[in-house]
PDB file of all heavy atoms in Angstrom:
ATOM      1  N   ALA A 211       0.835  -1.202   0.000  1.00 85.00           N
ATOM      2  CA  ALA A 211       0.000   0.000   0.000  1.00 85.00           C
ATOM      3  C   ALA A 211       0.865   1.245   0.000  1.00 85.00           C
ATOM      4  O   ALA A 211       2.039   1.214   0.363  1.00 85.00           O
ATOM      5  CB  ALA A 211      -0.932  -0.016   1.206  1.00 85.00           C
ATOM      6  N   ARG A 212       0.268   2.356  -0.406  1.00 89.00           N
ATOM      7  CA  ARG A 212       0.965   3.645  -0.382  1.00 89.00           C
ATOM      8  C   ARG A 212       0.033   4.686   0.209  1.00 89.00           C
ATOM      9  O   ARG A 212      -1.187   4.476   0.284  1.00 89.00           O
ATOM     10  CB  ARG A 212       1.451   4.036  -1.778  1.00 89.00           C
ATOM     11  CG  ARG A 212       0.413   4.361  -2.836  1.00 89.00           C
ATOM     12  CD  ARG A 212      -0.308   3.177  -3.438  1.00 89.00           C
ATOM     13  NE  ARG A 212       0.557   2.139  -3.980  1.00 89.00           N
ATOM     14  CZ  ARG A 212       0.992   2.110  -5.228  1.00 89.00           C
ATOM     15  NH1 ARG A 212       0.640   3.062  -6.071  1.00 89.00           N
ATOM     16  NH2 ARG A 212       1.726   1.106  -5.651  1.00 89.00           N
ATOM     17  N   MET A 213       0.594   5.811   0.630  1.00 94.00           N
ATOM     18  CA  MET A 213      -0.185   6.864   1.267  1.00 94.00           C
ATOM     19  C   MET A 213      -0.341   8.053   0.332  1.00 94.00           C
ATOM     20  O   MET A 213       0.530   8.305  -0.507  1.00 94.00           O
ATOM     21  CB  MET A 213       0.494   7.330   2.564  1.00 94.00           C
ATOM     22  CG  MET A 213       0.522   6.297   3.663  1.00 94.00           C
ATOM     23  SD  MET A 213       1.306   6.945   5.163  1.00 94.00           S
ATOM     24  CE  MET A 213       2.989   7.196   4.589  1.00 94.00           C
ATOM     25  N   SER A 214      -1.409   8.792   0.517  1.00 95.00           N
ATOM     26  CA  SER A 214      -1.580  10.049  -0.197  1.00 95.00           C
ATOM     27  C   SER A 214      -0.978  11.171   0.634  1.00 95.00           C
ATOM     28  O   SER A 214      -0.827  11.043   1.853  1.00 95.00           O
ATOM     29  CB  SER A 214      -3.063  10.327  -0.454  1.00 95.00           C
ATOM     30  OG  SER A 214      -3.744  10.512   0.779  1.00 95.00           O
ATOM     31  N   ALA A 215      -0.639  12.264  -0.013  1.00 95.00           N
ATOM     32  CA  ALA A 215       0.025  13.369   0.681  1.00 95.00           C
ATOM     33  C   ALA A 215      -0.857  14.007   1.741  1.00 95.00           C
ATOM     34  O   ALA A 215      -0.345  14.585   2.705  1.00 95.00           O
ATOM     35  CB  ALA A 215       0.477  14.423  -0.328  1.00 95.00           C
ATOM     36  N   ASP A 216      -2.188  13.910   1.596  1.00 95.00           N
ATOM     37  CA  ASP A 216      -3.074  14.545   2.566  1.00 95.00           C
ATOM     38  C   ASP A 216      -3.534  13.591   3.665  1.00 95.00           C
ATOM     39  O   ASP A 216      -4.413  13.915   4.459  1.00 95.00           O
ATOM     40  CB  ASP A 216      -4.299  15.147   1.865  1.00 95.00           C
ATOM     41  CG  ASP A 216      -5.092  14.103   1.078  1.00 95.00           C
ATOM     42  OD1 ASP A 216      -4.663  12.935   1.036  1.00 95.00           O
ATOM     43  OD2 ASP A 216      -6.134  14.486   0.505  1.00 95.00           O
ATOM     44  N   ALA A 217      -2.923  12.400   3.769  1.00 95.00           N
ATOM     45  CA  ALA A 217      -3.260  11.475   4.858  1.00 95.00           C
ATOM     46  C   ALA A 217      -2.912  12.119   6.199  1.00 95.00           C
ATOM     47  O   ALA A 217      -1.845  12.723   6.360  1.00 95.00           O
ATOM     48  CB  ALA A 217      -2.491  10.167   4.682  1.00 95.00           C
ATOM     49  N   SER A 218      -3.793  12.020   7.164  1.00 95.00           N
ATOM     50  CA  SER A 218      -3.591  12.653   8.467  1.00 95.00           C
ATOM     51  C   SER A 218      -2.534  11.897   9.280  1.00 95.00           C
ATOM     52  O   SER A 218      -2.172  10.762   8.967  1.00 95.00           O
ATOM     53  CB  SER A 218      -4.899  12.678   9.248  1.00 95.00           C
ATOM     54  OG  SER A 218      -5.281  11.365   9.610  1.00 95.00           O
ATOM     55  N   LEU A 219      -2.070  12.547  10.351  1.00 93.00           N
ATOM     56  CA  LEU A 219      -1.078  11.921  11.219  1.00 93.00           C
ATOM     57  C   LEU A 219      -1.609  10.614  11.799  1.00 93.00           C
ATOM     58  O   LEU A 219      -0.876   9.619  11.877  1.00 93.00           O
ATOM     59  CB  LEU A 219      -0.694  12.888  12.342  1.00 93.00           C
ATOM     60  CG  LEU A 219       0.331  12.386  13.363  1.00 93.00           C
ATOM     61  CD1 LEU A 219       1.647  12.028  12.693  1.00 93.00           C
ATOM     62  CD2 LEU A 219       0.555  13.435  14.448  1.00 93.00           C
ATOM     63  N   ALA A 220      -2.881  10.593  12.184  1.00 93.00           N
ATOM     64  CA  ALA A 220      -3.472   9.364  12.722  1.00 93.00           C
ATOM     65  C   ALA A 220      -3.475   8.266  11.675  1.00 93.00           C
ATOM     66  O   ALA A 220      -3.189   7.097  11.975  1.00 93.00           O
ATOM     67  CB  ALA A 220      -4.889   9.646  13.215  1.00 93.00           C
ATOM     68  N   GLU A 221      -3.791   8.608  10.425  1.00 94.00           N
ATOM     69  CA  GLU A 221      -3.802   7.617   9.349  1.00 94.00           C
ATOM     70  C   GLU A 221      -2.392   7.102   9.075  1.00 94.00           C
ATOM     71  O   GLU A 221      -2.192   5.909   8.830  1.00 94.00           O
ATOM     72  CB  GLU A 221      -4.399   8.224   8.080  1.00 94.00           C
ATOM     73  CG  GLU A 221      -5.890   8.525   8.180  1.00 94.00           C
ATOM     74  CD  GLU A 221      -6.409   9.308   6.981  1.00 94.00           C
ATOM     75  OE1 GLU A 221      -5.662  10.172   6.454  1.00 94.00           O
ATOM     76  OE2 GLU A 221      -7.559   9.060   6.586  1.00 94.00           O
ATOM     77  N   VAL A 222      -1.412   7.994   9.117  1.00 95.00           N
ATOM     78  CA  VAL A 222      -0.019   7.595   8.903  1.00 95.00           C
ATOM     79  C   VAL A 222       0.424   6.629   9.997  1.00 95.00           C
ATOM     80  O   VAL A 222       1.064   5.601   9.733  1.00 95.00           O
ATOM     81  CB  VAL A 222       0.907   8.827   8.866  1.00 95.00           C
ATOM     82  CG1 VAL A 222       2.373   8.403   8.819  1.00 95.00           C
ATOM     83  CG2 VAL A 222       0.586   9.709   7.662  1.00 95.00           C
ATOM     84  N   THR A 223       0.068   6.941  11.234  1.00 94.00           N
ATOM     85  CA  THR A 223       0.451   6.089  12.365  1.00 94.00           C
ATOM     86  C   THR A 223      -0.151   4.694  12.219  1.00 94.00           C
ATOM     87  O   THR A 223       0.537   3.683  12.407  1.00 94.00           O
ATOM     88  CB  THR A 223      -0.008   6.727  13.683  1.00 94.00           C
ATOM     89  OG1 THR A 223       0.507   8.059  13.779  1.00 94.00           O
ATOM     90  CG2 THR A 223       0.494   5.932  14.866  1.00 94.00           C
ATOM     91  N   ARG A 224      -1.429   4.618  11.873  1.00 94.00           N
ATOM     92  CA  ARG A 224      -2.078   3.317  11.687  1.00 94.00           C
ATOM     93  C   ARG A 224      -1.454   2.556  10.520  1.00 94.00           C
ATOM     94  O   ARG A 224      -1.313   1.332  10.566  1.00 94.00           O
ATOM     95  CB  ARG A 224      -3.576   3.512  11.459  1.00 94.00           C
ATOM     96  CG  ARG A 224      -4.332   3.938  12.719  1.00 94.00           C
ATOM     97  CD  ARG A 224      -5.827   3.763  12.541  1.00 94.00           C
ATOM     98  NE  ARG A 224      -6.367   4.662  11.508  1.00 94.00           N
ATOM     99  CZ  ARG A 224      -6.830   5.866  11.744  1.00 94.00           C
ATOM    100  NH1 ARG A 224      -6.813   6.359  12.991  1.00 94.00           N
ATOM    101  NH2 ARG A 224      -7.318   6.616  10.765  1.00 94.00           N
ATOM    102  N   PHE A 225      -1.067   3.289   9.462  1.00 93.00           N
ATOM    103  CA  PHE A 225      -0.437   2.672   8.296  1.00 93.00           C
ATOM    104  C   PHE A 225       0.862   1.978   8.707  1.00 93.00           C
ATOM    105  O   PHE A 225       1.110   0.822   8.329  1.00 93.00           O
ATOM    106  CB  PHE A 225      -0.173   3.745   7.238  1.00 93.00           C
ATOM    107  CG  PHE A 225       0.349   3.228   5.929  1.00 93.00           C
ATOM    108  CD1 PHE A 225      -0.510   2.936   4.886  1.00 93.00           C
ATOM    109  CD2 PHE A 225       1.712   3.035   5.729  1.00 93.00           C
ATOM    110  CE1 PHE A 225      -0.034   2.459   3.667  1.00 93.00           C
ATOM    111  CE2 PHE A 225       2.201   2.564   4.525  1.00 93.00           C
ATOM    112  CZ  PHE A 225       1.328   2.280   3.491  1.00 93.00           C
ATOM    113  N   PHE A 226       1.702   2.679   9.469  1.00 93.00           N
ATOM    114  CA  PHE A 226       2.979   2.105   9.901  1.00 93.00           C
ATOM    115  C   PHE A 226       2.757   0.897  10.804  1.00 93.00           C
ATOM    116  O   PHE A 226       3.468  -0.110  10.702  1.00 93.00           O
ATOM    117  CB  PHE A 226       3.815   3.167  10.627  1.00 93.00           C
ATOM    118  CG  PHE A 226       4.684   3.974   9.714  1.00 93.00           C
ATOM    119  CD1 PHE A 226       4.153   4.978   8.926  1.00 93.00           C
ATOM    120  CD2 PHE A 226       6.040   3.738   9.630  1.00 93.00           C
ATOM    121  CE1 PHE A 226       4.941   5.725   8.076  1.00 93.00           C
ATOM    122  CE2 PHE A 226       6.853   4.468   8.780  1.00 93.00           C
ATOM    123  CZ  PHE A 226       6.296   5.468   7.998  1.00 93.00           C
ATOM    124  N   ALA A 227       1.778   0.995  11.700  1.00 92.00           N
ATOM    125  CA  ALA A 227       1.512  -0.115  12.611  1.00 92.00           C
ATOM    126  C   ALA A 227       0.948  -1.324  11.866  1.00 92.00           C
ATOM    127  O   ALA A 227       1.320  -2.473  12.142  1.00 92.00           O
ATOM    128  CB  ALA A 227       0.535   0.330  13.699  1.00 92.00           C
ATOM    129  N   ALA A 228       0.067  -1.079  10.897  1.00 92.00           N
ATOM    130  CA  ALA A 228      -0.584  -2.179  10.180  1.00 92.00           C
ATOM    131  C   ALA A 228       0.397  -2.965   9.323  1.00 92.00           C
ATOM    132  O   ALA A 228       0.304  -4.196   9.216  1.00 92.00           O
ATOM    133  CB  ALA A 228      -1.721  -1.631   9.312  1.00 92.00           C
ATOM    134  N   TYR A 229       1.377  -2.272   8.724  1.00 91.00           N
ATOM    135  CA  TYR A 229       2.284  -2.937   7.793  1.00 91.00           C
ATOM    136  C   TYR A 229       3.690  -3.145   8.366  1.00 91.00           C
ATOM    137  O   TYR A 229       4.591  -3.580   7.643  1.00 91.00           O
ATOM    138  CB  TYR A 229       2.369  -2.140   6.489  1.00 91.00           C
ATOM    139  CG  TYR A 229       1.055  -2.112   5.736  1.00 91.00           C
ATOM    140  CD1 TYR A 229       0.244  -0.979   5.780  1.00 91.00           C
ATOM    141  CD2 TYR A 229       0.610  -3.216   5.018  1.00 91.00           C
ATOM    142  CE1 TYR A 229      -0.977  -0.942   5.104  1.00 91.00           C
ATOM    143  CE2 TYR A 229      -0.600  -3.196   4.341  1.00 91.00           C
ATOM    144  CZ  TYR A 229      -1.391  -2.055   4.397  1.00 91.00           C
ATOM    145  OH  TYR A 229      -2.594  -2.026   3.735  1.00 91.00           O
ATOM    146  N   ASN A 230       3.884  -2.839   9.655  1.00 90.00           N
ATOM    147  CA  ASN A 230       5.181  -3.054  10.321  1.00 90.00           C
ATOM    148  C   ASN A 230       6.330  -2.390   9.561  1.00 90.00           C
ATOM    149  O   ASN A 230       7.353  -3.019   9.254  1.00 90.00           O
ATOM    150  CB  ASN A 230       5.466  -4.550  10.475  1.00 90.00           C
ATOM    151  CG  ASN A 230       4.453  -5.237  11.361  1.00 90.00           C
ATOM    152  OD1 ASN A 230       4.056  -4.694  12.398  1.00 90.00           O
ATOM    153  ND2 ASN A 230       4.013  -6.415  10.967  1.00 90.00           N
ATOM    154  N   LEU A 231       6.158  -1.103   9.231  1.00 91.00           N
ATOM    155  CA  LEU A 231       7.134  -0.387   8.415  1.00 91.00           C
ATOM    156  C   LEU A 231       7.942   0.603   9.233  1.00 91.00           C
ATOM    157  O   LEU A 231       7.521   1.047  10.307  1.00 91.00           O
ATOM    158  CB  LEU A 231       6.413   0.363   7.290  1.00 91.00           C
ATOM    159  CG  LEU A 231       5.661  -0.484   6.264  1.00 91.00           C
ATOM    160  CD1 LEU A 231       4.857   0.418   5.336  1.00 91.00           C
ATOM    161  CD2 LEU A 231       6.631  -1.347   5.470  1.00 91.00           C
ATOM    162  N   VAL A 232       9.112   0.959   8.717  1.00 93.00           N
ATOM    163  CA  VAL A 232       9.871   2.090   9.244  1.00 93.00           C
ATOM    164  C   VAL A 232      10.015   3.172   8.175  1.00 93.00           C
ATOM    165  O   VAL A 232      10.558   4.241   8.430  1.00 93.00           O
ATOM    166  CB  VAL A 232      11.262   1.668   9.758  1.00 93.00           C
ATOM    167  CG1 VAL A 232      11.135   0.772  10.976  1.00 93.00           C
ATOM    168  CG2 VAL A 232      12.070   0.983   8.665  1.00 93.00           C
ATOM    169  N   CYS A 233       9.540   2.889   6.967  1.00 95.00           N
ATOM    170  CA  CYS A 233       9.590   3.843   5.863  1.00 95.00           C
ATOM    171  C   CYS A 233       8.450   3.498   4.909  1.00 95.00           C
ATOM    172  O   CYS A 233       8.170   2.310   4.680  1.00 95.00           O
ATOM    173  CB  CYS A 233      10.938   3.756   5.148  1.00 95.00           C
ATOM    174  SG  CYS A 233      11.176   4.926   3.781  1.00 95.00           S
ATOM    175  N   ALA A 234       7.762   4.520   4.378  1.00 95.00           N
ATOM    176  CA  ALA A 234       6.597   4.255   3.526  1.00 95.00           C
ATOM    177  C   ALA A 234       6.495   5.308   2.427  1.00 95.00           C
ATOM    178  O   ALA A 234       6.826   6.482   2.642  1.00 95.00           O
ATOM    179  CB  ALA A 234       5.321   4.249   4.360  1.00 95.00           C
ATOM    180  N   PRO A 235       6.011   4.907   1.227  1.00 96.00           N
ATOM    181  CA  PRO A 235       5.926   5.843   0.096  1.00 96.00           C
ATOM    182  C   PRO A 235       4.719   6.767   0.181  1.00 96.00           C
ATOM    183  O   PRO A 235       3.661   6.389   0.686  1.00 96.00           O
ATOM    184  CB  PRO A 235       5.803   4.904  -1.105  1.00 96.00           C
ATOM    185  CG  PRO A 235       5.107   3.697  -0.549  1.00 96.00           C
ATOM    186  CD  PRO A 235       5.599   3.543   0.856  1.00 96.00           C
ATOM    187  N   VAL A 236       4.900   7.982  -0.341  1.00 97.00           N
ATOM    188  CA  VAL A 236       3.803   8.942  -0.489  1.00 97.00           C
ATOM    189  C   VAL A 236       3.636   9.192  -1.985  1.00 97.00           C
ATOM    190  O   VAL A 236       4.582   9.624  -2.656  1.00 97.00           O
ATOM    191  CB  VAL A 236       4.096  10.260   0.247  1.00 97.00           C
ATOM    192  CG1 VAL A 236       2.938  11.240   0.064  1.00 97.00           C
ATOM    193  CG2 VAL A 236       4.345  10.001   1.727  1.00 97.00           C
ATOM    194  N   VAL A 237       2.434   8.905  -2.505  1.00 96.00           N
ATOM    195  CA  VAL A 237       2.185   8.933  -3.953  1.00 96.00           C
ATOM    196  C   VAL A 237       0.983   9.818  -4.239  1.00 96.00           C
ATOM    197  O   VAL A 237       0.025   9.848  -3.470  1.00 96.00           O
ATOM    198  CB  VAL A 237       1.935   7.495  -4.469  1.00 96.00           C
ATOM    199  CG1 VAL A 237       1.677   7.480  -5.969  1.00 96.00           C
ATOM    200  CG2 VAL A 237       3.121   6.592  -4.133  1.00 96.00           C
ATOM    201  N   ASP A 238       1.038  10.563  -5.370  1.00 95.00           N
ATOM    202  CA  ASP A 238      -0.105  11.416  -5.718  1.00 95.00           C
ATOM    203  C   ASP A 238      -1.124  10.642  -6.550  1.00 95.00           C
ATOM    204  O   ASP A 238      -0.956   9.450  -6.829  1.00 95.00           O
ATOM    205  CB  ASP A 238       0.362  12.691  -6.436  1.00 95.00           C
ATOM    206  CG  ASP A 238       0.998  12.414  -7.799  1.00 95.00           C
ATOM    207  OD1 ASP A 238       0.832  11.291  -8.334  1.00 95.00           O
ATOM    208  OD2 ASP A 238       1.649  13.333  -8.342  1.00 95.00           O
TER     209      ASP A 238
END
């Protein structure tokens, strides 16, 4: 999965926790 630039801090936090990441892409 990838994140959009307007994803909120809460959404970013859940994204990292869900996919066990330390780095994630931001795509338009």
